[in-house]
Amino acid sequence: MTPDGKKIVFSGVQPTGNITLGNYLGAIRNWGAMQDEYQCIFSVVDLHSITVAQQPAELRKHTMELLALYLACGIDPEKSIVFLQSHVHAHAELAWVLDTIAYIGELNRMTQFKDKSRKHQDNINMGLMNYPVLMASDILLYQTDVVPVGKDQKQHLELARTLAERFNNRYSPTFVVPEPYIAKQGAKIMSLQNPSAKMSKSDENENASIFLTDDVATVARKFKRAVTDSDTQVRYSLSEKPAVSNLLTIYSLCTGKTIAQCEKEFDGLGYGVFKEKLAQAVSDLLKPIQEKQALLLKDKAYLEKVLKEGAEKANYLANKTLQKVYKKVGFVPPIR
Ligand code: ATP
Ligand code: LTN
């Protein structure tokens, strides 16, 4: 809670490449709408991204692109704190302390760790296993009340809660225990090629994901190739028609129409027409974001100003918590 009684929101996305429609609908889109009611803190979590090998020049580029995307999606640096995780050293420092109360068994069980270990067998590094502890540190440093994320992050949020409670019990109340905020619709957008897998930035099949940078023709082509079923009815049923239900969810979120309205709109029209309209709706949503992002990326001075001010505000808040933590664990404060 801030001094003026606003709850604190924290969230982040990794600058690991192309942001997908899943990242947008499941996470970033919801952030903009929270800025008036909450004190929001949004980070480009670059420390997390190197748990999977990155090219340094690419990482720098993706980081600035993601920052510009946050702003293009309506994150307002006048209202919210926007910063790069690596600009606030307290994230890595608190992660170290939390590491000493996190158990190997807990981290070993994490679904994302197991998935990513399978995908990157040549690089099962300690950072990959430690990823959720760093994420807990991100959240707990700001005394966060609410964390808006997609469904896949729920398990990591549980760990952040567990670590907060464990620290509070072992020492004395220090951290707010955060709540996840998972949107009812869009929390798990599925792959266009396999409705049982989530849409992911790192999918090898590029037809599986819509990227926020995709142009009109690419969006149309990907939806045209999207898997459906042998039926012809545009109807929502997760058990009987998972692929079509996923497309309906996307259409509903992009147009603001309810699922029932969408079903009615395509009653008797078949998948061809539905897919064309869907592609149009997605492109209409992406176009203004792409235009704003391109303009912002040309204004390096402005982006740097946002980063400088964001880092100052974030450092102030994070250091306050870190100092409390250091005191509680028994570190002698530096002599000034
Ligand atoms: P990767 O595929 O590289 O693991 P990712 O696509 O999962 O990455 P993250 O940076 O890990 O992306 O996630 C950013 C945010 O987007 C998180 O809040 C996450 O829950 C959300 N998110 C990711 N994929 C989806 C999806 N398919 N549907 C809804 N939300 C998603
Ligand atoms: N692990 C998250 C990204 C992330 C995050 C956070 C989200 C890192 N730190 C703190 C919310 C709060 C993911 O989406 N893969």
Side-chain angles (χ1 to χ4, degrees):
M1 204 80 92
T2 60
D4 56 351
K6 279 189 176 172
K7 283 193 173 175
I8 296 173
V9 159
F10 184 99
S11 199
V13 174
Q14 304 179 72
T16 40
N18 284 328
I19 302 302
T20 69
L21 192 61
N23 298 135
Y24 179 72
L25 296 176
I28 305 173
R29 194 179 81 122
N30 302 317
W31 300 356
M34 302 179 93
Q35 295 180 103
D36 289 318
E37 193 179 340
Y38 299 91
Q39 168 60 62
C40 294
I41 307 173
F42 299 121
S43 182
V44 174
V45 289
D46 49 0
L47 297 178
H48 275 104
S49 68
I50 61 166
T51 53
V52 171
Q54 305 290 330
Q55 287 283 351
E58 286 287 296
L59 178 58
R60 264 190 293 275
K61 182 165 165 272
H62 288 147
T63 301
M64 294 312 278
E65 284 172 356
L66 185 55
L67 170 70
L69 188 71
Y70 280 10
L71 306 179
C73 291
I75 306 302
D76 178 355
E78 299 289 322
K79 292 182 186 163
S80 301
I81 301 175
V82 184
F83 73 104
L84 303 188
Q85 190 186 25
S86 63
H87 289 182
V88 180
H89 299 174
H91 288 252
E93 289 186 58
L94 179 61
W96 173 252
V97 176
L98 295 178
D99 261 340
T100 64
I101 61 165
Y103 302 126
I104 290 176
E106 279 172 325
L107 299 180
N108 213 2
R109 271 202 301 276
M110 293 282 143
T111 312
Q112 182 177 300
F113 174 61
K114 288 193 276 189
D115 281 353
K116 295 219 165 163
S117 301
R118 221 175 296 127
K119 265 194 211 156
H120 307 277
Q121 289 191 17
D122 53 340
N123 185 19
I124 308 178
N125 60 77
M126 281 310 296
L128 198 58
M129 190 167 179
N130 219 8
Y131 181 111
V133 180
L134 180 59
M135 179 164 162
S137 158
D138 299 340
I139 296 166
L140 302 184
L141 266 180
Y142 299 94
Q143 305 294 352
T144 304
D145 298 284
V146 183
V147 186
V149 280
K151 218 186 236 166
D152 61 316
Q153 295 300 312
K154 193 159 182 258
Q155 198 184 29
H156 289 167
L157 242 293
E158 294 293 335
L159 182 81
R161 290 171 57 85
T162 303
L163 294 180
E165 281 164 355
R166 195 172 294 155
F167 189 96
N168 289 349
N169 288 335
R170 192 164 301 180
Y171 298 97
S172 63
T174 309
F175 296 122
V176 169
V177 181
E179 298 285 342
Y181 171 87
I182 296 170
K184 281 188 201 79
Q185 231 196 347
K188 198 167 184 188
I189 301 294
M190 308 314 273
S191 151
L192 300 185
Q193 293 296 318
N194 172 7
S196 59
K198 80 160 187 165
M199 184 182 284
S200 157
K201 297 187 215 152
S202 46
D203 203 307
E204 277 146 31
N205 183 346
E206 65 141 2
N207 286 320
S209 311
I210 300 285
F211 299 115
L212 293 201
T213 46
D214 283 348
D215 60 22
V216 177
T218 309
V219 171
R221 193 189 66 234
K222 287 181 177 175
F223 278 120
K224 206 166 176 185
R225 293 188 185 163
V227 298
T228 46
D229 50 40
S230 52
D231 188 28
T232 54
Q233 241 190 345
V234 181
R235 182 168 58 84
Y236 190 91
S237 164
L238 280 180
S239 56
E240 293 166 36
K241 299 167 74 68
V244 172
S245 302
N246 185 43
L247 298 182
L248 268 169
T249 300
I250 297 175
Y251 189 69
S252 157
L253 286 168
C254 291
T255 57
K257 296 174 188 166
T258 64
I259 294 283
Q261 284 170 332
C262 302
E263 284 175 334
K264 208 162 153 217
E265 184 178 342
F266 297 105
D267 189 23
L269 291 182
Y271 293 156
V273 179
F274 173 46
K275 283 177 161 185
E276 273 171 31
K277 283 277 227 165
L278 172 60
Q280 191 58 51
V282 170
S283 289
D284 288 349
L285 178 89
L286 298 187
K287 195 162 169 261
I289 298 176
Q290 291 169 347
E291 287 170 356
K292 268 189 229 155
Q293 188 196 23
L295 276 180
L296 283 158
L297 280 170
K298 284 190 196 139
D299 195 349
K300 200 167 163 227
Y302 174 67
L303 294 180
E304 285 178 350
K305 177 173 169 275
V306 169
L307 286 184
K308 184 165 180 277
E309 291 176 5
E312 275 166 15
K313 291 180 205 161
N315 265 303
Y316 172 76
L317 295 171
N319 285 333
K320 255 194 346 195
T321 302
L322 187 70
Q323 272 167 25
K324 259 193 223 166
V325 169
Y326 274 13
K327 195 167 161 202
K328 296 210 182 182
V329 301
F331 294 158
V332 173
I335 317 299
R336 294 192 198 279

